[in-house]
Amino acid sequence: MKHTNRSGMKSHTTRYTFATSSRKTKIYKRSEKGGWTFKTVVEKKVRYFPLGLDRDEALKMADTIRGHLMLYPFDEVLKMFNKKAFAKVKPPAPTFGQSLAILKKHQSAIGLRDSSLKGYKDSLGGFIRKVAGKKTLVDKFDLSQIDDDFIMEYKRVCLEGITDESKLASRKRTINSRIRQVKAMFSREKLFKEFDMTFVEDLRDAEFFTGLKTNYKLPSEDLIRSTFELWEDSTGDLRTLLGLALHFGMRRNEIFHARKPWFQMDGDKARINITSDLSFRPKGGHEGFTLGSKTVAADILNKASDDGYLIEERADSGRPLFDDALDKLRAVGWDRASPLHELRKLFGSYIASTESIYIAQKFLRHADASTTNDSYSDAIIEGDIKNLWAA
């Protein structure tokens, strides 16, 4: 729908509907059924005041708020005109559970993957629990409580007590990732048109931590050796899991869905084709392949179950197995955020050091070689470390 701006020209880019009072106070709303909002700048910071559904009343209220802001501190004005004052004349914000239900209902129509929906659920759920407490009934949590102060408190709680610079940077990257996921969850506002989505404005304005780019660095040689010893000493599904991550650079979801038909053993090296099926879709939808030791591949295939899956423990998406693997990796010394993913990075370093960054990019199935270079590979100089892959 086209909207008219002050000059009378029609805009093809905005989705907002605007109204202006006789005092030149401008208000807007994002959908036909949505409430009006007054947006203003106080001390160089954007602030929002929800105004209800009635246009004329909203214009009067916006003029009043604007006048008060000229006379009183923002915090006092906020208390005078808080969101609760308009609760009876505007639709409610959705709860966490309602938001997930709406996305699940339209999942096929909008092409939302199960993994993306789970990512939204985990990110928003963790976001809420960090501030409201672990015992909070997350499904019934009113999302209108997510405002600027809520977001700042989330950051504070996540960073509390961390003094090590590298761990601080890592935690900030995690915060950035979670906020990015929560923002993405509500990027399709048309799905939520029956609710008041004013809280999304504060999410959109949430600032990310900057200056966090870092190049991947290998762990110590002792930790690399201990990791290989863990794989060699393991049996069953755990040995298969560690072998696919360490010797083929496969992701967790790929490992869980890996099947015998993915393997080709007729070359100098074993080839694993990462292909889609009814229950699995590669990350980003990009199929690909990786190469590794035929000896390791034969060991994995010999232990595989008859139904074709390499991982036998299928219950709960293999969570008990993967949790056990993480515990054992941490026990040998891994203290980075995702120990299992670190095995994929070790594989990337090995391929980049013995082949090239280009080959490592292909085996890791990255869209851009800069991702491989910056985040997944470091130079392995020591020959005895490279020989650990020569199984």
Side-chain angles (χ1 to χ4, degrees), residues 273-312:
N273 296 306
I274 316 296
T275 57
S276 302
D277 59 33
L278 293 176
S279 62
F280 168 73
R281 185 182 177 215
K283 185 176 181 180
H286 303 301
E287 297 183 339
F289 71 94
T290 181
L291 300 181
S293 165
K294 291 185 73 171
T295 303
V296 174
D299 178 71
I300 290 172
L301 290 173
N302 288 337
K303 291 179 172 60
S305 59
D306 293 335
D307 66 3
Y309 284 108
L310 305 182
I311 299 297
E312 294 183 356

Side-chain angles (χ1 to χ4, degrees), residues 3-71:
H3 302 293
T4 304
N5 56 27
R6 285 185 179 179
S7 63
M9 296 180 65
K10 292 188 174 181
S11 167
H12 293 267
T13 58
T14 182
R15 297 188 307 176
Y16 294 77
T17 300
F18 295 95
T20 306
S21 75
S22 58
R23 298 183 187 179
K24 306 300 182 184
T25 305
K26 192 173 185 179
I27 63 175
Y28 73 93
K29 64 178 180 177
R30 293 182 59 84
S31 65
E32 291 296 328
K33 296 182 180 181
W36 293 94
T37 298
F38 173 46
K39 176 181 177 181
T40 186
V41 177
V42 180
E43 296 178 352
K44 298 182 180 181
K45 191 161 190 176
V46 178
R47 299 291 188 175
Y48 300 90
F49 289 87
L51 305 171
L53 299 173
D54 185 87
R55 176 183 178 276
D56 293 336
E57 289 297 323
L59 286 170
K60 291 178 184 177
M61 185 67 71
D63 282 336
T64 304
I65 293 172
R66 184 182 177 189
H68 277 67
L69 287 171
M70 294 178 182
L71 300 172

Side-chain angles (χ1 to χ4, degrees), residues 143-193:
L143 296 183
S144 67
Q145 297 180 58
I146 298 179
D147 56 14
D148 213 33
D149 291 337
F150 191 99
I151 296 168
M152 290 299 293
E153 179 64 8
Y154 169 72
K155 292 180 178 179
R156 186 194 69 77
V157 171
C158 286
L159 298 175
E160 190 173 29
I162 301 177
T163 56
D164 181 83
E165 287 297 325
S166 62
K167 290 184 179 180
L168 197 61
S170 176
R171 183 61 59 85
K172 287 179 178 179
R173 282 191 288 271
T174 300
I175 292 171
N176 283 353
S177 176
R178 181 155 285 176
I179 290 177
R180 191 174 290 111
Q181 280 269 57
V182 175
K183 285 185 178 186
M185 181 174 179
F186 299 105
S187 60
R188 302 176 179 90
E189 274 196 61
K190 288 184 179 179
L191 299 178
F192 305 91
K193 58 187 177 182

